């Protein structure tokens, strides 16, 4: 059988006209190589560790990094601390450590899910919440909080309500956007956006009709997001979901690359884009639901981190998905720190800080690198 | 490797776009599919690269029904150059060409040394080596088309399906591309709008009209003045190329009489 591509033969005369002299590369992307990405990922991982220790130490009571490490070490190894240090130990281990770790986990998840969702719906404006997951979660949480129910679940009731709300919203969006030929990206986005408005209206009705201010507070918390509720109990389910989710997404790197070429070209390369989109939809919905259930909807990170990372390491999903979770985690740890320190003892909503930090970083990088996403 | 479209019918939104199309592409031959706009050429091709499943009939490669194969398995044999040339993300040219290896790479395996050499060869073959580090979104339409052809070459297909491959290409690269397809000895099914190009490059031409095959044969047999009039609605004189002897068409511009 004949084959198009005979083994490369350097002697073969090339019929093409002589190639013009190599143009100087006008966008140096030093990090856009496997080695560069490894450097970036290592740097971010170390910086994340450092940031976490600093963030655990800082707050209304400032605890120096070495002392923070000593407390963490004592808690992990079952070491002994003196009686007068008990309060500080509790602050470090019971309050701040789970909070900072949860911020890192959610930041990592938002970064990774943002990348996946933007690829799935082929839209640079997409973020993890675009498919109505977060507003569905808010409705679920508020319903549980105001109407009651799920009481058997105790302190987890509201989180479980949020997660169930997220899943219900997801299924609804999928059912509406779906037809015989699968889900088309644009229809998915439009359905998600439209249903988000619907869920927000439902939420407003609940807040309006519910007695007292309790509902208002719950709604605000779920729509602005925050890590105030972090405990060692909420951390493991979220962390496990995000870790497994990120690993699964990384395994789909190449199909994600191929999907960016369009569904037709993807078919020609053996990638069934509608099927991949269904799997991504399910995976990102579960990951987003798990994050919303523990921290509410924290805006902007899932939108901007993917773009910042692509500007730095290029479009290849293998590289983007190695760096985006770390970048999201670092950003979120610092954002949470700023949110609870700047106006202490009050906490600023996280969405405010993510936007204040993220917007300038994004605009600077975008202008400097001539970043393109599907157009000019 | 031979390709056979066997009684293919496709319905889209309740309308029959392709009607019982049967067409053979013998091993190593270049078969052109021509026809007016909306005659179902691209739809038929989409069944071959599996962006669509036919409602009736089947596509066979060496006698195997594509529908019974995984998409990856068929992509190892059949490469497609589709009309949809857009790319969402700013891959470098090198990265985009390397994606042609996708059907051959299980899981997350990276390209090995031979495959990287293959990518360099394909880029050199299409004259885009100097663009290797450039972002694909910065390229001109013609440059991008050549990069996409390089990607198809890297796929090492035994059947090549090309939908309007000469779009955006200047005359030099048009001829160059069709010469490459002929020389490579690959089995090729090509949709072309330019009938003279089809006559020069194809061993066999099939003419589609309203989804049905109305003529098939060598360019001399198929491209008659009568067929051009009835199927395409154009007046032309058929001549033999003075140097190659191949069939070529000289079109007559329609006069304003139809307006009256």
């Amino acid at each position: 059988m004949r084959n198009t591509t005979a083994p490369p033969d350097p002697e073969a005369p090339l019929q093409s006209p002589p190639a013009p002299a190599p143009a100087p590369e006008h966008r140096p992307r030093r990090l856009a190589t496997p080695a560069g990405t490894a450097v970036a990922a290592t740097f971010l991982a170390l910086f994340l560790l450092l940031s976490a220790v600093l963030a655990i130490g800082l707050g209304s009571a400032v605890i120096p990094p070495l002392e923070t490490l000593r407390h963490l070490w004592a808690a992990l190894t079952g070491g002994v601390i003196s009686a007068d240090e008990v309060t500080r130990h509790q602050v470090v281990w019971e309050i701040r450590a789970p909070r900072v770790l949860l911020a890192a986990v959610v930041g990592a998840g938002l970064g990774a899910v943002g990348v996946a969702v933007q690829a799935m719906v082929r839209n640079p404006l997409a973020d993890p919440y675009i498919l109505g997951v977060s507003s569905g979660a808010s409705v679920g949480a508020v319903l549980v909080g105001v109407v009651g129910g799920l009481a058997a679940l105790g302190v987890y009731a509201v989180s479980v309500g949020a997660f169930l709300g997220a899943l219900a919203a997801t299924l609804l969006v999928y059912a509406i956007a779906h037809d015989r030929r699968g889900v088309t990206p644009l229809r998915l986005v439009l359905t998600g956006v439209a249903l988000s408005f619907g869920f927000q209206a439902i939420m407003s009705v609940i807040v309006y009709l519910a007695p007292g201010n309790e509902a208002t507070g719950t709604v605000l918390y779920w729509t602005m997001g925050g890590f105030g509720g972090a405990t060692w109990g909420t951390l493991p389910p979220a962390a496990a979901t995000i870790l497994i989710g990120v690993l699964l997404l990384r395994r789909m790197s190449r199909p994600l690359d191929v999907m960016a070429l369009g569904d037709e070209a993807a078919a020609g390369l053996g990638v069934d884009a509608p099927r991949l989109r269904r799997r991504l939809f399910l995976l990102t919905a579960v990951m987003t639901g798990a994050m919303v259930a523990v921290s509410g909807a924290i805006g902007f990170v899932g939108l901007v981190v993917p773009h910042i990372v692509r500007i730095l390491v290029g479009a290849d999903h293998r590289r983007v998905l190695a760096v985006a979770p770390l970048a999201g985690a670092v950003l979120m740890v610092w954002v949470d720190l700023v949110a609870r320190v700047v106006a202490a003892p009050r906490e600023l909503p996280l969405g405010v800080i993510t936007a204040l930090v993220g917007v300038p970083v994004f605009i600077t990088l975008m202008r400097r690198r001539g970043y393109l996403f599907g157009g000019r | 490797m031979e390709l056979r479209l066997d009684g293919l019918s496709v319905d889209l939104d309740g309308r029959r776009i392709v009607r019982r199309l049967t067409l053979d592409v013998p091993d190593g031959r270049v078969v052109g599919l021509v026809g007016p706009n909306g005659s179902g050429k691209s739809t038929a091709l989409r069944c071959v690269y599996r962006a669509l499943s036919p409602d009736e009939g089947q596509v066979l490669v060496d006698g195997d029904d594509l529908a019974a194969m995984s998409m990856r398995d068929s992509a190892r044999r059949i490469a497609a150059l589709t009309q949809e040339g857009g790319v969402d993300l700013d891959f470098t040219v090198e990265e985009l060409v390397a994606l042609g290896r996708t059907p051959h790479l299980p899981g997350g395996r990276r390209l090995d040394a031979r495959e990287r050499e293959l990518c360099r060869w394909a880029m050199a073959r299409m004259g885009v080596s100097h663009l290797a580090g450039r972002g694909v979104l910065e390229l001109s339409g013609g440059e991008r088309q050549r990069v996409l052809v390089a990607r198809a070459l890297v796929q090492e297909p035994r059947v090549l399906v090309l939908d309007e491959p000469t779009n955006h290409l200047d005359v030099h690269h048009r001829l160059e591309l069709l010469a490459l397809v002929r020389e490579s000895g690959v089995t090729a099914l090509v949709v072309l709008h330019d009938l003279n190009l089809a006559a020069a490059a194809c061993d066999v031409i099939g003419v589609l009209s309203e989804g049905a095959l109305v003529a098939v044969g060598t360019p001399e047999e198929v491209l008659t003045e009568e067929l051009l009039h009835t199927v395409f609605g154009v007046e032309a004189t058929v001549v033999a190329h003075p140097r190659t002897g191949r069939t070529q068409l000289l079109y007559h511009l329609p006069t304003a009489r139809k307006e009256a």
Side-chain angles (χ1 to χ4, degrees), chain B residues 34-82:
Chain B
V34 301
N37 293 140
S39 56
K41 309 178 297 281
S42 297
T43 305
L45 281 202
R46 289 169 77 200
C47 295
V48 180
Y49 60 80
R50 304 194 68 187
L52 266 183
S53 320
D55 292 283
E56 284 167 29
Q58 50 197 350
V59 180
L60 305 164
V61 273
D62 275 353
D64 300 329
D65 184 0
L66 282 190
M69 254 180 242
S70 74
M71 284 184 66
R72 163 178 287 199
D73 279 342
S74 50
R76 283 186 191 149
R77 304 193 200 181
I78 304 172
L81 185 63
T82 62

Side-chain angles (χ1 to χ4, degrees), chain A residues 309-336:
Chain A
V309 171
R310 279 195 214 98
I311 290 168
L312 293 175
V313 305
D316 184 317
H317 278 95
R318 202 185 166 84
R319 296 199 301 265
V320 171
L321 284 171
V323 172
L326 292 166
V330 167
L331 177 63
M332 197 58 101
V333 166
W334 283 98
V335 163
D336 180 52

Side-chain angles (χ1 to χ4, degrees), chain A residues 90-186:
Chain A
Q90 275 178 343
V91 167
V92 166
W93 184 249
E94 298 296 335
I95 298 174
R96 289 197 196 148
R99 177 173 184 145
V100 169
L101 289 179
L102 190 67
V105 163
V106 170
L110 287 176
V113 173
V115 171
V117 171
Q118 286 172 3
M120 173 174 76
V121 299
R122 304 186 61 187
N123 193 322
L125 294 177
D127 76 354
Y129 308 125
I130 200 161
L131 300 175
V133 179
S134 64
S135 42
S138 309
V139 172
V142 172
L143 273 179
V144 169
V146 175
V147 181
L150 299 177
L153 293 165
V155 291
Y156 295 109
V158 176
S159 282
V160 172
F163 187 74
L164 292 180
L167 282 192
T170 307
L171 291 177
L172 195 58
V173 168
Y174 190 84
I176 293 173
H178 181 85
D179 74 0
R180 199 162 38 83
R181 273 173 281 167
V183 283
T184 57
L186 189 59

Side-chain angles (χ1 to χ4, degrees), chain A residues 4-5 15-17 26-27 29 122 181 254 260-262 264-265 268-270 317-319 373-374 376, chain B residues 13 46 49 75 84 86 88-90 92 95-96 105 108-110 121 125 137-138 153 155-157 172 176:
Chain A
T4 10
T5 40
Q15 308 276 310
S16 310
H26 34 226
R27 284 186 304 142
R29 295 195 280 200
R122 304 186 61 187
R181 273 173 281 167
R254 208 186 308 266
L261 311 177
E264 302 262 306
L269 288 166
H317 278 95
R318 202 185 166 84
R319 296 199 301 265
F373 184 113
R376 279 158 206 274
Chain B
D13 298 322
R46 289 169 77 200
Y49 60 80
E84 167 192 77
D88 296 345
L89 299 172
D90 199 14
T92 63
E95 287 168 346
L96 187 65
L105 294 174
R109 186 168 77 73
R110 288 166 192 256
W121 169 81
R125 189 71 187 76
L137 297 179
E138 299 165 16
L153 293 180
Q155 208 169 333
E156 293 187 298
H172 171 92
E176 176 65 25

Side-chain angles (χ1 to χ4, degrees), chain A residues 11-354:
Chain A
E11 304 294 317
L14 296 177
Q15 308 276 310
S16 310
E25 217 170 296
H26 34 226
R27 284 186 304 142
R29 295 195 280 200
R30 270 159 298 165
L31 295 176
T33 59
T37 305
V39 170
T42 312
F43 171 79
L44 279 172
L46 292 175
F47 188 60
L48 177 60
L49 274 180
L50 181 72
S51 306
V53 172
L54 279 176
I56 291 172
L58 293 174
S60 47
V62 177
I63 300 166
L66 282 180
E67 197 185 333
T68 309
L69 281 175
R70 197 158 52 77
H71 284 300
L72 292 176
W73 183 251
L76 286 171
T77 59
V80 183
I81 44 160
S82 56
D84 56 335
E85 284 185 322
V86 167
T87 319
R88 281 161 89 85
H89 183 78
Q90 275 178 343
V91 167
V92 166
W93 184 249
E94 298 296 335
I95 298 174
R96 289 197 196 148
R99 177 173 184 145
V100 169
L101 289 179
L102 190 67
V105 163
V106 170
L110 287 176
V113 173
V115 171
V117 171
Q118 286 172 3
M120 173 174 76
V121 299
R122 304 186 61 187
N123 193 322
L125 294 177
D127 76 354
Y129 308 125
I130 200 161
L131 300 175
V133 179
S134 64
S135 42
S138 309
V139 172
V142 172
L143 273 179
V144 169
V146 175
V147 181
L150 299 177
L153 293 165
V155 291
Y156 295 109
V158 176
S159 282
V160 172
F163 187 74
L164 292 180
L167 282 192
T170 307
L171 291 177
L172 195 58
V173 168
Y174 190 84
I176 293 173
H178 181 85
D179 74 0
R180 199 162 38 83
R181 273 173 281 167
V183 283
T184 57
L186 189 59
R187 201 203 298 226
L188 210 49
V189 173
L190 289 176
T191 313
V193 170
L195 282 192
S196 294
F197 278 105
F199 289 131
Q200 277 159 24
I202 295 175
M203 230 152 41
S204 303
V205 171
I206 297 174
V207 169
Y208 188 73
L209 295 180
N213 293 325
E214 198 184 329
T216 319
T218 317
V219 169
L220 257 184
Y221 178 77
W222 243 268
T223 48
M224 304 296 276
F227 296 109
T231 64
W232 284 112
T234 53
L235 186 62
T241 311
I242 296 307
L243 181 69
I244 294 170
V246 169
L247 292 177
L248 286 175
L249 284 177
R250 280 213 74 201
R251 285 169 56 101
M252 299 182 195
S253 306
R254 208 186 308 266
L256 281 169
D257 287 346
V258 170
M259 206 159 64
L261 311 177
D263 289 11
E264 302 262 306
L269 288 166
V271 172
D272 186 344
R275 200 178 73 176
L276 177 62
R277 201 168 277 126
R278 279 198 297 278
R279 287 168 56 192
L280 281 173
F281 187 83
L282 189 68
L283 182 56
T284 56
V286 169
M287 290 173 77
T288 310
M291 290 189 282
V292 172
V294 292
S295 65
I298 299 160
F300 209 70
V301 175
L303 170 67
V304 156
V305 164
H307 292 299
I308 292 177
V309 171
R310 279 195 214 98
I311 290 168
L312 293 175
V313 305
D316 184 317
H317 278 95
R318 202 185 166 84
R319 296 199 301 265
V320 171
L321 284 171
V323 172
L326 292 166
V330 167
L331 177 63
M332 197 58 101
V333 166
W334 283 98
V335 163
D336 180 52
L337 177 63
V338 171
R340 61 192 160 87
V341 167
V342 159
R346 290 174 56 198
E347 286 188 18
L348 290 177
L350 289 177
V352 175
I353 317 288
T354 51

